[in-house]
Amino acid sequence: MLSVAEAQRRILAVISTLPSVETFISGSVNRVLAEDIVAGRNLPAWDNSAMDGYAVKASDVTGSSQRLRVIATIPAGACEVPTLLPGTAARIFTGAPLPEGADTVMIQENTSIDGEYVTFHRAARHRENVRQQGEDAKAGSTVLSAGRVLSPGDINLLASLGRSRVSVYRRPKVAIISTGDELVEIDGPEPGLGQIINSNVYALAAAVQLAGGVPVITPPVPDNPESIRNAFLSARSADAIVTCGGMSVGDFDYVRDVLRELTSDEYGFWKVAIKPGKPIGFGTLGHCALFGLPGNPASAWVTFILFVRPSLLKMQGHTMVLPLPRRARLAHALKAGGARQNYLRIAAYRDASGELWVDASRNQSSGALTSIANADGLAIVAPSAPAREEGDSIDVLLLNTRVDRHS
Ligand code: AMP
Ligand code: MG
């Protein structure tokens, strides 16, 4: 059996980053920048006031009761700005351009007004409350580098530079194919005995979306090799195909055989030391990466998180693609690990001191849907890990934000 880490390594060695595309910045958050962004202008473009107050020349306000005549008012958005003569001040508001002849803004809290005169209660400090042209970003400087995952703050910067479009890596199109004679459509007639709704396809589509991909849901495919082969071949224009079901050694598990037949042998592997999820497959069909996941909902979810999600992230130009474990304390004793790396569904919470605790005492059956729905993440029990006591630490993958919201 392959270790989880080795399986991840082999898959990621084959996955490559997709080409870049131009996109509007409004759709670029969390996407990976594919170009360096060089400022085409200064930020700010001109000296301006950081506060509401009075624009002055600092050398005109030397004492603690200096009085100057106010010769103009400059609101934010002012297009014409008067020149300040020596010995005068201008009323100015936050963001307004500093007038020629001024170098400093005195905040209004330290002034008193008497008709058209303003008296300053203290001496000016040269350039105080002035945002200088280019102090934030200089024209010609690189402000964002390729490879960066765009944040709302980055998007503000791009917009301020007048960049409405940027080059980012393309989102992968991911076809999701479920196989199984027992599967029926969600909006069809009430499922009869032996039939279940094709639920994995919706969960996998949601997981693809969260990973930045574009899911394409296809109807369930019956358990026969020809239908499975046709489904794969007609989806091969996607960047990835994710199948679930039919990977085991049961009499009706044909996906494995079709995957073997259609993809090149060197990548396929069929037994990973993981629980839930042991039988999984991987290969390529032309440019399309093919992931064969097991059908049990928990197995499909865990193997998606460990093998498919990192691949989809790599396709989009991300470099930190593997889920990052963090340490937590166990709310109860846990028995020693077995032959496979076990991923236990956990409830996670923080105690009064902010420490993270996890409880893995819920139903770990690979078909149990409520325990997947309620899982805050997965605790990792390595093969042959020693038994643990309550309070011992354990590696966990936190997979939703509920735990942070609830604490
Ligand atoms: P398989 O991997 O095909 O042997 O399926 C294992 C278990 O997962 C069976 O109980 C299936 O009914 C269930 N299963 C397979 N595919 C799906 C699916 N698309 N949605 C929900 N359950 C599924
Ligand atoms: Mg099946």
Side-chain angles (χ1 to χ4, degrees):
M1 282 194 294
L2 279 180
S3 70
V4 171
E6 176 62 12
Q8 286 170 327
R9 198 192 62 71
R10 289 194 191 182
I11 291 176
L12 290 172
V14 175
I15 299 291
S16 44
T17 299
L18 295 171
S20 61
V21 287
E22 259 216 350
T23 186
F24 286 106
I25 53 171
S26 47
S28 70
V29 74
N30 271 344
R31 298 186 71 176
V32 180
L33 194 60
E35 59 175 332
D36 290 338
I37 302 292
V38 175
R41 56 183 78 169
N42 283 311
L43 286 181
W46 16 262
D47 287 3
N48 70 91
S49 179
M51 301 291 276
D52 294 333
Y54 293 87
V56 297
K57 195 166 177 62
S59 55
D60 283 344
V61 187
T62 48
S64 63
S65 56
Q66 189 79 51
R67 196 161 173 266
L68 298 178
R69 196 154 75 88
V70 181
I71 54 105
T73 296
I74 312 169
C79 309
E80 279 180 35
V81 179
T83 298
L84 214 60
L85 298 172
T88 64
R91 184 86 172 101
I92 195 165
F93 296 92
T94 307
L98 202 68
E100 195 75 30
D103 54 21
T104 300
V105 172
M106 300 295 285
I107 61 171
Q108 65 191 44
E109 288 84 343
N110 290 334
T111 63
S112 39
I113 284 288
D114 169 19
E116 55 178 4
Y117 285 87
V118 58
T119 302
F120 299 101
H121 299 165
R122 66 159 176 77
R125 282 191 294 269
H126 184 240
R127 296 207 73 80
E128 68 180 306
N129 302 315
V130 172
R131 301 167 179 157
Q132 211 170 321
Q133 179 189 62
E135 76 171 29
D136 200 1
K138 292 238 176 324
S141 64
T142 300
V143 289
L144 300 174
S145 298
R148 183 180 182 97
V149 183
L150 290 172
S151 69
D154 294 336
I155 290 168
N156 205 334
L157 181 55
L158 289 164
S160 298
L161 292 170
R163 291 290 307 257
S164 61
R165 292 153 169 268
V166 281
S167 175
V168 295
Y169 293 104
R170 189 160 69 68
R171 296 183 186 283
K173 184 175 148 191
V174 184
I176 302 166
I177 301 175
S178 290
T179 67
D181 285 341
E182 74 277 34
L183 302 177
V184 294
E185 302 263 25
I186 191 167
D187 283 329
E190 188 65 20
L193 181 67
Q195 296 185 315
I196 59 164
I197 291 172
N198 177 16
S199 61
N200 279 350
V201 83
Y202 297 100
L204 289 169
V208 164
Q209 241 173 331
L210 274 187
V214 180
V216 181
I217 292 180
T218 60
V221 177
D223 284 318
N224 72 69
E226 201 180 318
S227 304
I228 295 169
R229 190 181 303 113
N230 288 341
F232 285 0
L233 290 175
S234 50
R236 66 190 298 175
S237 66
D239 300 299
I241 297 175
V242 177
T243 72
C244 72
M247 287 299 302
S248 249
V249 292
D251 284 352
F252 302 100
D253 289 333
Y254 298 116
V255 175
R256 203 170 62 138
D257 300 335
V258 176
L259 261 171
R260 261 207 187 121
E261 172 202 319
L262 291 180
T263 69
S264 82
D265 270 352
E266 61 191 298
Y267 306 133
F269 57 81
W270 313 109
K271 284 190 179 148
V272 178
I274 181 179
K275 187 180 168 193
K278 181 167 79 175
I280 65 171
F282 174 72
T284 52
L285 190 54
H287 293 297
C288 179
L290 244 154
F291 298 87
L293 308 185
N296 270 307
S299 313
W301 178 50
V302 169
T303 51
F304 182 94
I305 294 293
L306 295 173
F307 304 113
V308 184
R309 185 174 182 276
S311 304
L312 300 183
L313 293 178
K314 185 170 180 192
M315 288 179 188
Q316 294 166 85
H318 289 270
T319 47
M320 311 267 285
V321 298
L322 293 174
L324 203 62
R326 61 176 95 182
R327 298 296 277 176
R329 298 183 71 186
L330 267 167
H332 50 78
L334 200 63
K335 59 181 194 200
R340 295 185 273 160
Q341 181 139 302
N342 201 346
Y343 289 82
L344 299 171
R345 274 154 270 167
I346 49 163
Y349 53 92
R350 292 185 195 278
D351 65 16
S353 68
E355 198 163 2
L356 187 66
W357 288 79
V358 295
D359 181 336
S361 61
R362 49 189 54 202
N363 184 352
Q364 300 293 340
S365 152
S366 53
L369 292 160
T370 53
S371 73
I372 306 172
N374 293 321
D376 294 311
L378 298 164
I380 307 170
V381 183
S384 315
R388 273 172 268 215
E389 302 294 329
E390 176 185 335
D392 283 355
S393 61
I394 189 164
D395 275 340
V396 298
L397 304 177
L398 287 187
L399 298 172
N400 70 40
T401 54
R402 274 192 296 240
V403 59
D404 291 321
R405 282 209 299 271
H406 284 185
S407 53

